[in-house]
Amino acid sequence: MIRKRVRKEIDRAVKEIWLTDICREYGQGRFLVEADIQCSFYHHLRQRLDPLFAANSLYAFTEFYVPGLGRRGQKIDLAVFEMDMSLPGPWRDRRTDTAAVIELKYGGGDEWITSDFPKLRGYMDLFGRKCQYYFGAIDLRPAARLNWLDGRSRWAEGCLTELNAGYLDGEMCFEVNSRNGMNPILQQKRACCGCI
């Protein structure tokens, strides 16, 4: 079982990575496709949290296949699992708890972004509401606001954080819109990045 303190440290790292590292690297023109963001997020998460992961039997995986969700199953962009490596069988069967699920989007279009919400709800049913869910979307269109969920999205309360990015008044801004109540100093925080 993953302790609350550990979940809070992971939450802080995810939010800080979005506001600092991902924002900076986007401004430097380092992302061509969604997979580039996924690789960068994985790198920064491991760089910041490897000692915490080692001390708590936590492992980060990209493209983690979850059978049974959707018609053919789903792949989680990035997930952090507690594992018991003494258990027999394939690694996927050694999961004992789930700390974080991160889904990322890069591009534009309302349906393109909201198409991941049913998948996130399915993950919530599978992994429970103690797990923290992060939805990171870099929308390349001009926007009046960056967040997608509103007060009618009760399914997201307590465990979902939107990591949003888009152009506000011509400037690319990255924002944290959290519904999980963790790390209040990072709630609804915004960083703008100059683009090359």
Side-chain angles (χ1 to χ4, degrees):
M1 181 175 193
I2 302 167
R3 294 189 308 264
K4 188 173 182 177
R5 176 191 62 79
V6 172
R7 290 183 191 277
K8 191 172 179 180
E9 283 186 56
I10 295 168
D11 178 78
R12 186 186 76 243
V14 168
K15 292 172 181 175
E16 287 176 348
I17 288 166
W18 185 256
L19 291 169
T20 58
D21 303 308
I22 302 298
C23 180
R24 180 186 68 251
E25 290 174 6
Y26 177 86
Q28 294 169 344
R30 294 193 182 193
F31 304 135
L32 296 176
V33 295
E34 185 178 300
D36 296 336
I37 302 165
Q38 184 179 327
C39 291
S40 178
F41 221 112
Y42 177 85
H43 166 77
H44 292 296
L45 196 63
R46 291 284 311 272
Q47 190 175 43
R48 287 176 188 237
L49 296 179
D50 257 353
L52 179 77
F53 286 1
N56 292 279
S57 300
L58 297 172
Y59 295 80
F61 295 97
T62 61
E63 294 295 313
F64 189 87
Y65 178 70
V66 180
L69 287 179
R71 288 190 322 223
R72 297 184 191 151
Q74 301 283 343
K75 288 185 179 176
I76 300 171
D77 289 338
L78 181 59
V80 178
F81 295 116
E82 179 185 61
M83 308 281 281
D84 182 349
M85 291 309 197
S86 68
L87 293 174
W91 282 27
R92 95 173 45 265
D93 297 339
R94 298 177 189 190
R95 287 182 292 115
T96 55
D97 203 354
T98 308
V101 168
I102 302 170
E103 284 295 325
L104 300 166
K105 288 291 205 181
Y106 182 65
D110 291 356
E111 288 180 21
W112 158 84
I113 288 181
T114 58
S115 67
D116 266 6
F117 292 155
K119 183 167 40 167
L120 284 164
R121 291 175 85 165
Y123 294 151
M124 288 176 187
D125 291 340
L126 184 64
F127 301 123
R129 299 186 67 81
K130 284 187 180 179
C131 174
Q132 295 303 303
Y133 302 88
Y134 302 90
F135 177 68
I138 298 177
D139 193 342
L140 302 177
R141 304 170 300 165
R145 64 181 175 82
L146 299 179
N147 65 308
W148 289 89
L149 299 176
D150 58 24
R152 295 171 293 178
S153 307
R154 290 198 173 98
W155 61 271
E157 289 300 322
C159 62
L160 181 78
T161 296
E162 284 186 79
L163 306 169
N164 307 104
Y167 285 96
L168 296 174
D169 298 322
E171 186 172 18
M172 176 54 85
C173 296
F174 282 65
E175 204 172 78
V176 170
N177 291 291
S178 184
R179 295 167 169 271
N180 70 3
M182 291 186 186
N183 297 296
I185 197 162
L186 296 170
Q187 305 271 19
Q188 285 70 44
K189 191 161 183 177
R190 180 182 293 168
C192 295
C193 56
C195 299
I196 60 169

